[in-house]
Amino acid sequence: EDVVTPAQLGGSIVSDEFALVLPSTIASMRLCPIFHSLPTEMLESIARSGKRQVFSVGQKLIRAGDRGSSVFIICSGTVSCQVDGCEVKTMSAGDSFGDMSIYCDIMFKIHEEHQPIIGDAGALSSLLTRKADILGSEIGMAMELTSSDLMPLFSTCARLVCNIVRVGEGQMEEACRNKSGQALEARRLLSTLHPLMTAGFLKGVGTDEARRIIDSVAPFHSFQVKKNDSLVQQGAQGDSVFLVLSGLFSCQVNGKEVRLFGPWQIFGEVSLCASFPELVFKSLSDEDSYDRVSQAVAACSVRTADVVCLEDARVVEISAEKLVTAFDISHQVFLNIFVLAQERFMEAVSRGSIDAILRYQG
């Protein structure tokens, strides 16, 4: 009844980007909530990143009390979930366990650079401790995915992030309803995380400066957006940036979807940068010229795309006015936004946004 490890199973663990992904594995992944509505190509890519582990009857996949920040998906067979030796449930193909642990681990990694500011992360860490033994009750295969396997996919697969947040928050709320002290403290800690950290605006900013920015910037309040609601209209004036906390949005240029925005992503940064043309110039290195892209971004005070809600969402709107103090304390904050704005602006040009093209052509 030892825990399954690569050393013990030898060739029974598969983790190879060129490994064959069985149709049954993809079918099981489709049943798993964190992979809801993902395209087949993405599921196959994820499956190649994971470790597929063959387990036998009575063999432990995880042990209560061990630390872990991975999620397991049952591809075949059946496992038993036991607490203090008593079975509390069984799981089969399509079921998963460890979803909340991976959600907490990802949240911690996003904010890890500024851990001294967020304080004791023990609440998140405690949720990375396994609460039950998982044993094989009939021979089968499970796939293990770590946060390191999944996070590189976030920039290209917003729906995956949306699913992880929805499932992780749902499981945390259930644990809170069951009066779990660890879950209650973790929820409290997550509620204190500052949107500027989550958005990546404070990346590369020293701890003292980051603390001053957080203390001086007015509080931000999130609000709900319903499915099918339009949050941003192409061609409209704007000087704010939006941070998605949960849910999913479609970014559309000339009525055609060009990307999705999910949790921890921002949009509206081009219009925001246009409110600070002098900072755009300041962001250029000595070797750079005030090139066409920089000029265009500085002049583009209108939205270059429509943004429509696909799944009920919660967002934070950060106005240019609220960021003035942050920019005064550290130019790095503006630089972080400007780098992304340049990328998004050129994407809008390549996708045929009339507003972006007109400003790019001067």
Side-chain angles (χ1 to χ4, degrees):
E1 295 190 351
D2 290 333
V3 176
V4 179
T5 65
Q8 292 168 323
L9 286 180
S12 296
I13 289 190
V14 179
S15 181
D16 187 342
E17 61 178 319
F18 300 109
L20 175 65
V21 178
L22 299 176
S24 58
T25 299
I26 299 300
S28 297
M29 293 176 71
R30 291 193 189 283
L31 297 174
C32 185
I34 66 172
F35 301 129
H36 171 68
S37 295
L38 295 191
T40 299
E41 296 79 9
M42 180 59 66
L43 293 176
E44 290 176 344
S45 176
I46 293 172
R48 292 190 181 98
S49 298
K51 293 183 175 66
R52 281 161 280 168
Q53 305 185 5
V54 176
F55 57 85
S56 58
V57 176
Q59 198 161 22
K60 286 184 180 178
L61 278 78
I62 63 173
R63 188 195 307 275
D66 286 350
R67 283 181 55 80
S69 57
S70 56
V71 60
F72 289 79
I73 297 91
I74 305 302
C75 299
S76 63
T78 305
V79 299
S80 171
C81 176
Q82 301 182 5
V83 177
D84 297 327
C86 298
E87 183 174 271
V88 294
K89 65 177 178 179
T90 60
M91 292 177 282
S92 55
D95 290 328
S96 62
F97 52 94
D99 308 73
M100 186 163 61
S101 292
I102 202 166
Y103 164 66
C104 289
D105 188 48
I106 290 170
M107 288 299 290
F108 177 73
K109 286 181 176 179
I110 289 175
H111 300 85
E112 187 174 14
E113 180 182 356
H114 296 294
Q115 185 178 351
I117 297 176
I118 64 176
D120 182 14
L124 290 179
S125 177
S126 69
L127 290 178
L128 304 182
T129 303
R130 307 298 190 183
K131 305 299 188 295
D133 295 316
I134 305 293
L135 303 84
S137 51
E138 66 176 42
I139 191 169
M141 184 176 72
M143 179 168 59
E144 180 183 12
L145 291 161
T146 67
S147 58
S148 297
D149 294 325
L150 297 177
M151 289 182 73
L153 304 173
F154 287 177
S155 61
T156 57
C157 192
R159 187 174 290 278
L160 173 62
V161 188
C162 176
N163 292 344
I164 290 174
V165 171
R166 183 178 62 249
V167 173
E169 288 185 341
Q171 291 185 355
M172 184 174 292
E173 287 303 312
E174 181 180 1
C176 289
R177 287 193 296 271
N178 292 330
K179 309 300 183 183
S180 166
Q182 294 173 338
L184 288 166
E185 179 59 20
R187 185 176 65 179
R188 183 203 63 76
L189 178 62
L190 289 173
S191 70
T192 66
L193 297 177
H194 200 280
L196 295 185
M197 287 193 289
T198 306
F201 291 176
L202 301 185
K203 183 178 181 181
V205 177
T207 298
D208 291 341
E209 289 185 329
R211 198 186 303 276
R212 286 175 57 203
I213 290 170
I214 291 174
D215 290 342
S216 60
V217 173
F220 299 104
H221 302 287
S222 64
F223 60 94
Q224 300 291 328
V225 183
K226 294 295 185 181
K227 182 179 179 179
N228 297 324
D229 283 354
S230 178
L231 189 58
V232 168
Q233 292 79 44
Q234 184 174 342
Q237 291 288 323
D239 67 348
S240 59
V241 65
F242 295 86
L243 167 66
V244 183
L245 299 179
S246 65
L248 197 66
F249 290 88
S250 169
C251 177
Q252 303 171 6
V253 174
N254 303 332
K256 182 179 180 180
E257 183 174 277
V258 297
R259 66 158 57 237
L260 298 178
F261 292 121
W264 317 321
Q265 291 185 313
I266 64 170
F267 54 88
E269 62 288 322
V270 175
S271 298
L272 175 70
C273 287
S275 300
F276 301 92
E278 71 286 356
L279 294 184
V280 170
F281 181 77
K282 183 179 177 181
S283 299
L284 303 174
S285 67
D286 293 338
E287 293 77 20
D288 290 336
S289 63
Y290 197 48
D291 60 18
R292 182 177 295 179
V293 177
S294 301
Q295 293 180 50
V297 170
C300 196
S301 60
V302 299
R303 306 297 190 183
T304 58
D306 295 307
V307 179
V308 180
C309 186
L310 295 181
E311 296 186 11
D312 288 356
R314 186 163 52 93
V315 302
V316 170
E317 182 175 10
I318 306 173
S319 68
E321 181 182 6
K322 285 190 174 183
L323 287 172
V324 170
T325 301
F327 296 160
D328 287 342
I329 294 174
S330 174
H331 181 67
Q332 183 64 43
V333 178
F334 182 83
L335 186 59
N336 290 334
I337 302 172
F338 179 60
V339 169
L340 181 58
Q342 289 178 296
E343 296 173 0
R344 293 279 174 80
F345 180 83
M346 290 309 300
E347 179 183 55
V349 170
S350 68
R351 299 291 188 175
S353 170
I354 301 301
D355 298 293
I357 291 173
L358 288 174
R359 283 154 182 81
Y360 184 65
Q361 293 177 337

